[in-house]
Amino acid sequence: GTTLRLILGDQLNPRHTWFEQRRDDVLYVLMEMRQETDYVLHHAQKVLAIFAAMRELARQLRAAGHRVLYLTIDDPDNRQSLPDNLDALLLRFNVRAFEYQAPDEWRLDAQLAAYARRQSIPCRMVESEHFYTLRDDAARLFSTRKQWVMEHFYRHMRVQHRVLIDGAGRPVGGQWNFDHDNRKPWPGLPSEPADFRNAHDHSALWQTIVAAGVNSFGEANAAQLAWPINRAEALQQLDAFIEKALPHFGDFQDAMSHGAWRMFHSLLSFALNTKMLDPREVVAKADAAWRAGRVSLATAEGFIRQIVGWREYIRGFYWAHMPEYVEQNVFGHARALPGWFWNGRTRMRCLARAIGQSLEHAYAHHIQRLMVIGNFALLAGLDPAGVHRWYLGVYVDAFEWVELPNTLGMSQFADGGLLATKPYVSSAAYIDRMSDYCKGCHYDKKLRTGERACPYNSLYWDFFARNAGKLSPNPRLGMVYRQLAKMDEATRRSLQEQADELRNSLDRL
Ligand code: FAD
């Protein structure tokens, strides 16, 4: 009998212990399915990059002598759903045991668990051997505490995994966190490093995907797809990042510029989330760069915190709060996303740029996602579930376990503060301080009311005024509410009228 081992599209780790031995009684299965292309409307590059990387792993496994069955999206035998395909394969190959790696998404975890319960053959879920932590490690760490705090988790991780820890068990440099050194705007120099990714032609695959009827949005750019499709490319990208961009990562981590869509970010989230790269090797290379004196400790720590801290914390948070978390909407926001989320055509220059590059590259960096797009969505009162679906679709690195807590929790505060200690919102002043977006914008960053006023300004004050009942007790928002209290009644009313008008005409902004 055959053991069937399923490999999901975000489980492309060729170094999994599964592959250490070549076994004739094991059949590996990868499937391109409408179930996976259609659970949300995806960016073209996301579908393309995942399928291309799946095909590449299948090719490599076969070359190494493994038995692999690959179902393409246009295969007449493809039933396009996981349980239906598995049913057919179990019969066809006389399968005696079924194994799969722990899925990272609740959706697939529930589907596979239900499937396994219905089988009479032995079914087994094994670890994906990717993350530092198990699904419920973070929940266990926080079980005795009132609140989830990332910094607490992060320090625990640093000690446990001996990352940037000295011989005495103390953080190197005597400090856990150098975040305050990492918040500079970018003056235009040093210049943004050239795109350090390889591009390849996937036009034929793209034609297949389109012909199969898969809908998508954003630019496919199939002839020059620049996302890594195997481990070798991902490693090359990692090395280039460490050498060319990491030295400036810390300084300009929060900076944004009209002319620089990557800034000094790694663009490694796709390779990490599909598990082509192991987080430990990414951390080890950043650590080594610091030890060799090539990057400052503040920079190395700031980068490492994103991976050892935020990434693992977010994952633990997801598993602790699913499946109810998707429904969170503490402010009762219900407005539909304006049409320009799908074409970038708005006169607000920051949003035109951040959304425009998301459509062009299936990528925006953290501060664009948080303080431009997410900030606007929250201030405008967009339906958080709709915002969640947009983020889940548009970014090449978007998988629900990491996208959902970031979107609903960190960015939309839809959980009322389970993840973030205060809403990440700002008026035009913050965007102007951290970017050059406001220069040449149709709207005036200094005005709060009137036709030319930057929409962020009135929306910002009105957001806090409207939600005073929920937010004013928050000590971190004391200053905002003191400023609101000092405003005269007429000012407050005109801000509210302006905000109401804007919210009713979002499509025309
Ligand atoms: P870098 O800036 O180079 O950072 C290095 C790595 O750190 C990233 O590759 C990523 O693995 C990790 N990291 C950094 N910040 C976070 C974070 N907040 N949560 C988890 N990991 C983090 N990240 C995703 O991987 N997928 C998503 O779908 C996603 N959706 C997001 C939605 C919103 C609203 C926000 C505010 C953030 C989201 N993030 C998401 C987190 C972060 O923005 C991206 O990980 C990052 O922009 C990816 O680009 P990079 O690889 O160049 O990151």
Side-chain angles (χ1 to χ4, degrees):
T2 296
T3 295
L4 192 144
R5 286 180 170 171
L6 173 70
I7 303 171
L8 296 170
D10 65 348
Q11 298 177 335
L12 308 179
N13 170 15
R15 298 196 305 174
H16 194 277
T17 49
W18 265 1
F19 311 125
E20 276 172 6
Q21 274 187 332
R22 213 190 46 72
R23 280 173 47 184
D24 289 334
D25 62 338
V26 170
L27 178 68
Y28 292 100
V29 176
L30 296 97
M31 318 170 181
E32 301 170 353
M33 289 177 291
R34 293 303 293 268
Q35 165 187 322
E36 294 306 296
T37 57
D38 295 7
Y39 65 83
V40 71
L41 186 68
H42 290 287
H43 195 293
Q45 284 180 41
K46 185 179 174 191
V47 180
L48 197 50
I50 292 174
F51 283 9
M54 288 170 67
R55 289 179 179 212
E56 174 71 4
L57 180 68
R59 192 189 62 73
Q60 288 183 1
L61 291 176
R62 280 193 189 114
H66 298 287
R67 279 173 73 201
V68 178
L69 183 114
Y70 193 96
L71 272 182
T72 57
I73 192 83
D74 60 346
D75 189 322
D77 287 340
N78 191 339
R79 301 184 182 190
Q80 306 293 350
S81 97
L82 195 44
D84 292 349
N85 278 336
L86 286 173
D87 279 345
L89 294 174
L90 294 195
L91 277 180
R92 180 170 149 207
F93 291 96
N94 186 24
V95 170
R96 293 297 158 82
F98 171 54
E99 298 181 355
Y100 61 101
Q101 298 178 22
D104 288 321
E105 286 168 291
W106 195 89
R107 179 177 65 80
L108 285 162
D109 189 60
Q111 189 181 38
L112 279 166
Y115 186 79
R117 275 195 300 275
R118 291 198 301 271
Q119 306 309 312
S120 49
I121 55 167
C123 296
R124 196 158 72 103
M125 182 174 93
V126 304
E127 277 306 315
S128 66
E129 305 173 6
H130 173 81
F131 292 97
Y132 283 92
T133 46
L134 298 174
R135 278 179 185 170
D136 57 354
D137 276 353
R140 224 171 303 127
L141 183 72
F142 286 112
S143 63
T144 57
R145 299 187 158 238
K146 268 222 307 279
Q147 246 215 316
W148 283 57
V149 179
M150 194 321 258
E151 189 65 22
H152 176 72
F153 172 83
Y154 172 55
R155 292 180 190 186
H156 177 85
M157 291 288 286
R158 289 267 298 272
V159 173
Q160 188 180 2
H161 299 282
R162 303 209 59 80
V163 175
L164 299 178
I165 291 293
D166 67 18
R170 297 281 312 144
V172 295
Q175 219 174 299
W176 290 102
N177 186 316
F178 295 82
D179 218 8
H180 285 291
D181 303 344
N182 292 349
R183 300 222 166 127
K184 301 190 179 89
W186 181 57
L189 284 173
S191 16
E192 184 189 48
D195 190 346
F196 33 70
R197 300 169 302 164
N198 268 341
H200 12 62
D201 188 349
H202 295 285
S203 306
L205 172 56
W206 181 238
Q207 274 165 23
T208 307
I209 292 170
V210 172
V214 175
N215 286 325
S216 65
F217 70 117
E219 286 177 34
N221 203 9
Q224 284 174 55
L225 188 80
W227 298 105
I229 59 167
N230 59 36
R231 205 176 131 70
E233 282 189 348
L235 282 170
Q236 183 192 317
Q237 190 189 317
L238 169 60
D239 288 340
F241 162 70
I242 298 275
E243 188 193 322
K244 303 204 172 90
L246 182 63
H248 310 293
F249 177 89
D251 279 351
F252 306 121
Q253 194 177 346
D254 288 1
M256 300 176 283
S257 171
H258 195 262
W261 65 270
R262 305 174 300 277
M263 295 297 277
F264 300 92
H265 292 272
S266 69
L267 278 66
L268 285 170
S269 47
F270 175 72
L272 276 166
N273 294 350
T274 53
K275 305 183 181 61
M276 285 187 257
L277 284 184
D278 188 301
R280 292 163 198 80
E281 66 194 334
V282 178
V283 166
K285 291 225 161 148
D287 180 85
W290 166 64
R291 285 178 202 278
R294 284 185 280 125
V295 309
S296 71
L297 179 56
T299 274
E301 187 280 316
F303 179 72
I304 285 171
R305 176 163 13 104
Q306 307 309 316
I307 293 173
V308 171
W310 278 111
R311 188 166 183 265
E312 300 279 334
Y313 175 79
I314 289 279
R315 173 166 181 265
F317 184 92
Y318 175 78
W319 283 106
H321 295 95
M322 282 300 281
E324 326 72 59
Y325 200 69
V326 192
E327 315 283 326
Q328 301 285 312
N329 187 359
V330 77
F331 299 122
H333 285 164
R335 221 167 276 275
L337 275 60
W340 40 262
F341 268 71
W342 281 273
N343 60 33
R345 286 204 288 274
T346 162
R347 288 175 293 183
M348 291 178 281
R349 198 162 176 261
C350 55
L351 277 159
R353 196 62 205 138
I355 291 178
Q357 77 160 69
S358 302
L359 296 170
E360 190 180 346
H361 299 290
Y363 177 87
H365 56 77
H366 189 68
I367 291 298
Q368 294 175 312
R369 297 186 200 196
L370 186 65
M371 295 309 292
V372 177
I373 306 171
N375 183 6
F376 184 86
L378 177 50
L379 294 181
L382 305 188
D383 163 31
V387 176
H388 153 57
R389 282 192 298 275
W390 186 82
Y391 276 96
L392 185 58
V394 74
Y395 294 117
V396 72
D397 56 32
F399 298 91
E400 196 189 68
W401 64 269
V402 54
E403 176 278 331
L404 184 70
N406 268 302
T407 303
L408 279 200
M410 189 183 305
S411 153
Q412 299 303 294
F413 206 74
D415 60 9
L418 286 176
L419 184 77
T421 50
K422 62 167 187 165
Y424 282 98
V425 288
S426 78
S427 62
Y430 174 85
I431 296 176
D432 185 45
R433 185 160 71 249
M434 296 312 296
S435 80
D436 54 12
Y437 289 145
C438 301
K439 289 193 192 79
C441 182
H442 170 82
Y443 296 101
D444 188 327
K445 65 190 182 200
K446 294 240 170 63
L447 298 180
R448 296 198 292 205
T449 52
E451 224 182 293
R452 282 297 177 107
C454 172
Y456 281 89
N457 292 336
S458 57
L459 289 173
Y460 173 81
W461 290 110
D462 184 59
F463 169 77
F464 284 110
R466 256 190 308 129
N467 295 304
K470 292 197 176 77
L471 298 176
S472 66
N474 185 334
R476 295 199 62 193
L477 297 171
M479 195 157 82
V480 177
Y481 281 100
R482 278 193 298 280
Q483 279 175 281
L484 256 182
K486 273 191 239 147
M487 270 180 206
D488 58 59
E489 191 47 40
T491 309
R492 247 183 291 177
R493 199 169 328 112
S494 68
L495 284 171
Q496 189 201 324
E497 281 164 13
Q498 172 97 5
D500 282 343
E501 216 171 285
L502 289 170
R503 273 193 296 268
N504 288 324
S505 56
L506 292 179
D507 270 309
R508 277 178 278 139
L509 295 179

